[in-house]
């Protein structure tokens, strides 16, 4: 009865919770946020299409009404009215679809949809809208949702001519509907009636007359238009072609300079991606785009069109503008000036390789839509870039992992605090260090003036030129010139440009080893913040073309300064920002790198834990790279133009919060994706202070705390390395699991001679040794690992035995497996008799007995006493109840009388009114049945489900 009452109460609570969640719109909105993907096998009828969370905000659920597409490549549309006649703003999109069901999904806005009832096939001539359809959102192939910037929204309703939303879903392969389930994919819009400061819009660049010739390897479709409106800020982009498209790139062109907005393979998920750079498009700029196609494998011309046999070249720019000047939709369909595209960046001509498994998935989704053999050839060409680029791209895709060269340099170097690194034109490594000077707490006063001038300049050579292969010193210079060296770089003539934080100066030195400055910027030992003074300047970068000088200033000031090659001041700027409401100034601009192929300057903003990039000519902010993996601080940054641009960086310990592990990072410049992380094996980073990368891919890191320089080279591929390491770890874990599986619960106490398997670790296989094993090939690793950890495998039936027995058996068995498996086999027969006694003594915990047996025991004893009393009334004193505690039936024993006496619950309940024998006949507890069960429970049966015999364990171990 108690169980029934508890079940009824639990069911009532569940029902009450469900009813509250159905009635509470805010609760439902939270559920949307927590579970954005719909179940493709169900179409919930409980969700309301419009949920008003408060007087200003609402959510609109737009879903397909349980459709079953009849054929592959089906386009279905449905229209939903804007839920208000007043103007409203869409501030968020949440998709509810999966790649298994939907190929892609688009949301349009218009005034007159083709239909307002049900859904229709919009892949035919009907289309989506009778008037102009404006795309507002795109999702494809499990792409991440598009996130609008803060204070930005799409304006609908009111006077916008957008009174309806039209959802279009492309069902590529209907084999997913073989189970005849109904699809309700769609998306949820979050809307507000509060006017937004910035209005989102869409700029479409589209080619309308491109012809792709059959067999031609490369065909370019170019689009360009002058921009003649108020400033707009692109924040996302989308590319779209059919199967022949290999790359689509979009740019802003200003004064002859091309700045990338976005570049992507149209064969990847055709969703909106974050813009590659933070740019502003202003009146007089030009917007330009290029689509790269291939006609190889085709036998006929391919033209621009809407069918799968045609092609398309679309580049979408999602932007925002100030609300008072906002234009919600713009387009461009012109070729632009004939000579404009002669200066397009070379990257726009390089096809973007697509992983083979993704191409296979794409072909499955497009099954039968491409037209025979031509499609197969297209597939092959799409995934293969041109020959000159292939090795480079493949190397990047495979992910070469950087590994330390542990025996570099071959001879020890006598270094002080290493503050800066550079490479000359021959790729020789240049080290800038502090000799016997150190930067301590007492080095500066509150006015940032250097207090240790009495020590004099550093007498040791502070600039060392090393052979990068062996680390041999080739040249030494910079004696008696510096007090606290910091940053260093070289120019195209191998001159050194250095900073000294104690002198508050920037100097140019000849690379021939002469200790005499050629140019000096700033006044010695006098900090300042005007055009002629610095305050602890940190680094220098040089434009190899113009010779212009860029200085990061520094520990006291928060700026970047630009000088001509002769040291004439040109301009300065501060930090850029991605959020208008949250503008963070530089917090120690600590390191600079010039990007020659992009004409940009990137700075490591140390205390803000970010990398910011600017146009070197104007100082215009381009982009920011900020990753949680940096841990709050980025000390140094470097760059390599290979593979489309790679950023190299090192982080540091944060003074304001928890730090991430100290390591180096390789980051894709365009996508901001971390491609690799690295750290030394010989010792840990303490204060990685600077980083440079050579043309052959070697990376050098200076550590100011350990007075050392580390060299890393591309070794085993990152993915392969992790698999190898993981293989060893998995092997160890599997053996540990074999041990732990024999332990249900730890003992409260363990005898001193019994070690805990979960704690004990064979000393031969330490973590440090496992790291060393990474440098061996996989077969040697496995062989060595087996030799060092001779743990016998547990047979399957013994694993079952371990799960059936008590904790003492399991733990000692585990110990014996690790320590003395042979001894267990020898003692097996000697300990056979002790096994059952140990099981009885340690088999069940007191809590389990109390919970499971105490109440049934009381009930059974009460019934037994009642029966005995009743039988004694019927048969007299000759009837007795015998309790045999020593029988194998356990502590309950047997309840039985003489031959004529028995306890039968069926008979008992049958004697009472309202009960029948039906259903109780098999509940007999007659002595004969129980005795038969006891006889069946032989030692052989116990042995089948028990652990091997154990040595005697004292009662204290329980």
């Amino acid at each position: 009865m108690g169980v029934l009452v508890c079940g009824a109460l639990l069911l009532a609570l569940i029902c009450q919770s469900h009813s509250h969640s159905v009635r509470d719109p805010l609760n439902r909105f939270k559920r949307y946020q927590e579970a954005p993907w719909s179940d493709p096998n169900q179409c919930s009828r409980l969700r309301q299409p419009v949920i008003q969370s408060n007087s200003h905000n609402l959510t609109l659920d737009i879903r397909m009404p349980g459709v079953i597409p009849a054929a592959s490549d089906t386009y279905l549309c449905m229209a939903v009215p804007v839920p208000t006649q007043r103007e409203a703003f869409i501030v968020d999109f949440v998709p509810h679809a999966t790649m298994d069901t939907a190929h892609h999904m688009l949301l349009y806005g218009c005034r007159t949809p083709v239909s307002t009832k049900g859904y229709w096939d919009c892949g035919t001539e009907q289309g989506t809208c009778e008037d102009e359809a404006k795309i507002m959102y795109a999702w494809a192939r499990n792409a991440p949702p598009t996130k609008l910037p803060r204070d930005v929204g799409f304006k609908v309703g009111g006077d916008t001519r957008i009174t309806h939303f039209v959802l279009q879903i492309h069902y590529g392969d209907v084999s997913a509907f073989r189970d005849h389930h109904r699809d309700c994919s769609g998306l949820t819009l979050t809307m507000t009636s509060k006017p937004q400061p910035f209005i989102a819009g869409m700029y479409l660049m589209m080619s309308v007359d491109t012809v792709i010739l059959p067999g031609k390897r490369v065909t370019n479709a170019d689009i360009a238009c002058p921009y003649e409106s108020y400033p707009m800020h692109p924040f996302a982009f989308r590319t779209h072609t059919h199967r022949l498209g290999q790359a689509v790139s979009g740019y802003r062109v200003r004064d002859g300079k091309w700045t990338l907005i976005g570049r992507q393979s149209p064969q990847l998920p055709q969703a909106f991606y974050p813009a590659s750079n933070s740019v502003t498009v202003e009146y007089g700029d030009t917007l330009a785009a290029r689509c790269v196609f291939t006609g190889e494998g085709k036998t006929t011309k391919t033209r621009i069109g809407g069918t799968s046999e045609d092609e398309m070249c679309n580049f979408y720019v999602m932007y925002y503008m100030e609300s008072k000047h906002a234009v919600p939709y713009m387009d461009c369909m012109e070729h632009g000036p004939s000579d404009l595209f002669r200066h397009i960046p070379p990257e726009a001509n390089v096809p973007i390789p697509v992983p083979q498994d993704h191409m296979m998935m794409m072909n499955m989704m497009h099954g039968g839509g491409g037209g025979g053999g031509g499609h197969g050839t297209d597939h092959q060409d799409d995934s293969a870039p041109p020959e000159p680029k292939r090795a480079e791209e493949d190397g990047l895709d495979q992910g070469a992992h950087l590994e330390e060269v542990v025996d570099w340099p071959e001879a020890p170097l006598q270094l002080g605090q290493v503050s800066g690194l550079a490479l000359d034109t021959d790729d020789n490594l240049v080290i800038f260090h502090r000799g016997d000077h150190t930067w301590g707490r007492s080095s500066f006063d509150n006015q940032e003036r250097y207090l240790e001038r009495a020590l004099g300049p550093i007498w040791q050579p502070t600039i060392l030129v090393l052979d990068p292969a062996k680390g041999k010193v080739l040249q030494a210079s910079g004696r008696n010139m510096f007090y606290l060296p910091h940053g260093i770089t070289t120019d195209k003539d191998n001159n050194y440009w250095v900073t000294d934080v104690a002198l508050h100066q920037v100097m140019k030195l000849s690379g021939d080893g002469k200790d005499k400055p050629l140019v000096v910027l700033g006044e010695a030992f006098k900090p300042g913040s005007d055009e002629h003074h610095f305050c602890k300047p940190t680094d220098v970068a040089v434009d190899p073309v113009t010779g212009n000088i860029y200085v990061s200033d520094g520990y006291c000031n928060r700026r970047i300064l630009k000088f001509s090659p002769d040291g004439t001041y040109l301009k300065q700027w501060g930090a850029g920002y991605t959020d208008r409401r949250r503008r963070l100034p530089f917090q120690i601009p600590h390191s600079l790198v010039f990007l020659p192929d992009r004409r940009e300057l990137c700075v490591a903003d140390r205390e803000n834990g970010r990398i910011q990039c600017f146009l070197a000519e104007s100082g215009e902010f381009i982009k920011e790279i900020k990753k949680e993996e940096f841990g709050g601080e980025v000390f140094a940054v470097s760059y390599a133009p290979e593979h489309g641009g790679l950023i190299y960086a090192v982080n540091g310990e944060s003074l304001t919060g928890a730090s991430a592990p100290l390591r180096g990072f390789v980051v894709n410049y365009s996508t901001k994706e971390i491609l690799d992380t690295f750290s030394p094996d010989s010792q840990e980073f303490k204060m990685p202070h600077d980083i440079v990368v050579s043309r052959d891919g070697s990376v050098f890191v200076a550590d100011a705390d350990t007075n050392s320089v580390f060299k890393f080279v591309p070794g085993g591929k990152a993915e392969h390395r992790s698999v190898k390491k993981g293989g060893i770890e998995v092997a160890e874990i599997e053996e540990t699991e074999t041990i732990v599986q024999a332990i249900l619960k730890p003992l409260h106490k363990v005898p001193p001679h019994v070690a805990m398997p979960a704690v004990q670790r064979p000393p031969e296989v330490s973590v440090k040794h496992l790291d060393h094993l990474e440098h061996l090939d996989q077969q040697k690793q496995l062989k060595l690992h087996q030799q060092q950890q001779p743990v016998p495998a547990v047979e399957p039936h013994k694993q079952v035995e371990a799960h059936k027995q008590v904790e003492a058996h399991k733990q000692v068995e585990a110990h014996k497996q690790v320590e003395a498996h042979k001894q267990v086999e020898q003692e097996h027969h000697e300990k056979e008799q002790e096994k059952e006694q140990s099981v009885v003594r340690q088999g069940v915990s007191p809590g389990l007995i109390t919970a499971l047996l105490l109440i049934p025991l009381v009930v059974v004893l009460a019934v037994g006493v009642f029966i005995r009393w009743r039988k004694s009334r019927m048969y007299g004193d000759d009837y007795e109840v015998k309790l045999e505690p020593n029988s194998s039936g356990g502590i309950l024993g047997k309840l039985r009388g003489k031959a004529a006496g028995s306890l039968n619950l069926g008979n008992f309940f049958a004697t009472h009114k309202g009960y029948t024998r039906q259903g109780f006949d098999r509940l007999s507890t007659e002595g004969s049945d129980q005795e038969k069960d006891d006889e069946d429970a032989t030692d052989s049966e116990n042995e089948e489900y028990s652990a091997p015999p154990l040595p005697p364990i004292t009662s204290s171990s329980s």
Side-chain angles (χ1 to χ4, degrees), residues 870-888:
R870 185 172 180 179
K871 293 294 184 180
S872 63
R873 293 283 301 271
M874 295 173 60
Y875 300 105
D877 295 335
D878 291 338
Y879 179 85
E880 64 179 357
V881 178
K882 294 184 179 180
L883 181 64
E884 300 179 8
N886 294 328
S887 66
S888 61

Side-chain angles (χ1 to χ4, degrees), residues 213-281:
L213 300 179
K216 188 175 181 180
R217 182 171 181 80
V218 177
T219 296
N220 294 328
D222 294 334
I223 316 152
C225 290
Y227 184 74
E228 300 175 344
S229 186
Y230 290 94
M232 75 171 187
H233 308 274
F235 64 89
F237 72 95
R238 175 180 180 251
T239 64
H240 178 71
T241 72
H242 293 167
R243 293 193 187 92
L244 303 184
Q246 296 188 314
V248 181
S249 308
Y251 298 86
R252 183 204 67 182
V253 185
R254 176 184 294 176
D255 299 329
K257 296 181 175 60
W258 295 64
T259 302
L260 182 68
I261 296 175
R263 167 174 156 80
Q264 185 61 281
S265 168
Q267 306 307 326
L268 293 174
Q270 295 185 12
F272 280 96
Y273 293 87
S276 299
N277 296 300
S278 177
V279 299
T280 300
V281 182

Side-chain angles (χ1 to χ4, degrees), residues 719-734 770 774 778 781-782:
E719 181 179 0
H720 179 62
R721 171 189 167 103
S722 64
V723 169
K724 288 171 62 179
K725 184 173 182 179
I728 298 178
E729 291 174 345
V730 167
E732 182 180 10
I733 290 172
E734 285 177 350
L770 286 175
E774 292 172 5
Q778 190 171 11
Q781 290 176 16
L782 295 176

Side-chain angles (χ1 to χ4, degrees), residues 735-748 750 754-760 794 798-818 947:
E735 293 179 351
T736 306
E737 280 186 351
T738 303
I739 297 172
V740 174
Q741 281 177 355
I743 306 172
L744 293 179
K745 292 184 179 179
L747 295 175
H748 297 291
V750 181
V754 179
M756 291 287 288
V759 176
Q760 180 178 354
V794 181
K798 289 187 177 181
Q799 294 185 17
V800 176
E801 295 170 6
H803 282 290
K804 297 293 184 178
Q805 293 298 311
V806 296
E807 61 263 15
H809 279 99
K810 310 311 178 285
Q811 188 159 4
V812 180
E813 167 59 12
H815 172 70
K816 298 191 75 64
Q817 288 179 0
V818 177

Side-chain angles (χ1 to χ4, degrees), residues 6-48:
C6 291
L9 290 175
L10 181 61
L11 182 61
L13 290 174
I14 293 174
C15 293
Q16 183 181 15
S17 175
H18 176 73
S19 64
H20 281 305
S21 66
V22 171
R23 291 195 303 265
D24 188 355
L26 182 60
N27 183 277
R28 185 182 296 108
F29 176 65
K30 291 180 179 178
R31 293 208 316 273
Y32 281 132
Q33 289 182 317
E34 294 170 357
W37 306 107
S38 68
D39 183 352
N41 295 318
Q42 298 181 12
C43 282
S44 175
R45 299 294 183 181
L46 298 178
R47 290 174 174 166
Q48 302 175 6

Side-chain angles (χ1 to χ4, degrees), residues 602-604 609-613 623-625 630 634 637 647 649:
C602 292
V603 55
R610 63 186 180 181
I611 300 168
Q612 290 200 334
C613 299
K623 74 188 313 175
E624 176 179 300
I625 302 175
F630 293 165
V634 178
V637 63
I647 293 288

Side-chain angles (χ1 to χ4, degrees), residues 668-682:
N668 184 295
Y669 173 88
S670 297
T671 65
K672 307 180 185 179
E673 175 189 3
I674 295 178
L675 304 177
D676 187 25
T677 61
F678 57 94
S679 59
D681 296 325
S682 58

